[in-house]
Amino acid sequence: MSALPHENPAPAYASPYRIEPHEGPQTLAELRAALAVIDSAELTAFNAKLDAATFGVEQTAVITEARHLVALRTRPEVQDAIRASLAGESELMTADDLWAELDKGAA
């Protein structure tokens, strides 16, 4: 989502492969606004899924899916990472690197 001239641009995500809890929309209002900018049909679908979800795990899954959609559709670094992966241009992580990266999140 682009910032207006008087707003600060959205900061880049720390990793194009993972959305951290503090990145992206932080409230339902922000999430709905981001989805509305992407496509009004996405917002309508999100609202229907959220209304149908039960409290807890189901609602969390719906919100997480929508946050991922926002990142996929609006963040150039995420789109570049997907393109590189599909083109076979990205470097694969070793198992040791993967575990080291996951351990960072546990701290």
Side-chain angles (χ1 to χ4, degrees):
M1 192 156 87
S2 301
L4 296 174
H6 65 280
E7 296 177 327
N8 293 328
Y13 285 30
S15 168
Y17 303 102
R18 179 182 178 133
I19 298 174
E20 298 295 336
H22 65 278
E23 296 174 322
Q26 296 295 300
T27 66
L28 284 176
E30 289 175 1
L31 183 54
R32 285 183 171 118
L35 290 169
V37 169
I38 292 170
D39 185 356
S40 62
E42 294 292 356
L43 175 58
T44 301
F46 168 74
N47 285 330
K49 288 180 192 175
L50 191 61
D51 288 345
T54 58
F55 288 119
V57 175
E58 282 187 29
Q59 281 188 332
T60 300
V62 170
I63 292 167
T64 299
E65 180 183 336
R67 292 182 78 234
H68 288 168
L69 177 70
V70 169
L72 287 170
R73 299 270 182 92
T74 62
R75 303 306 306 185
E77 64 271 24
V78 173
Q79 294 168 354
D80 291 344
I82 292 168
R83 262 189 237 95
S85 179
L86 291 173
E89 298 168 354
S90 60
E91 293 183 28
L92 297 177
M93 219 182 245
T94 66
D96 290 337
D97 291 340
L98 172 63
W99 290 116
E101 186 68 25
L102 292 174
D103 285 341
K104 285 186 208 174

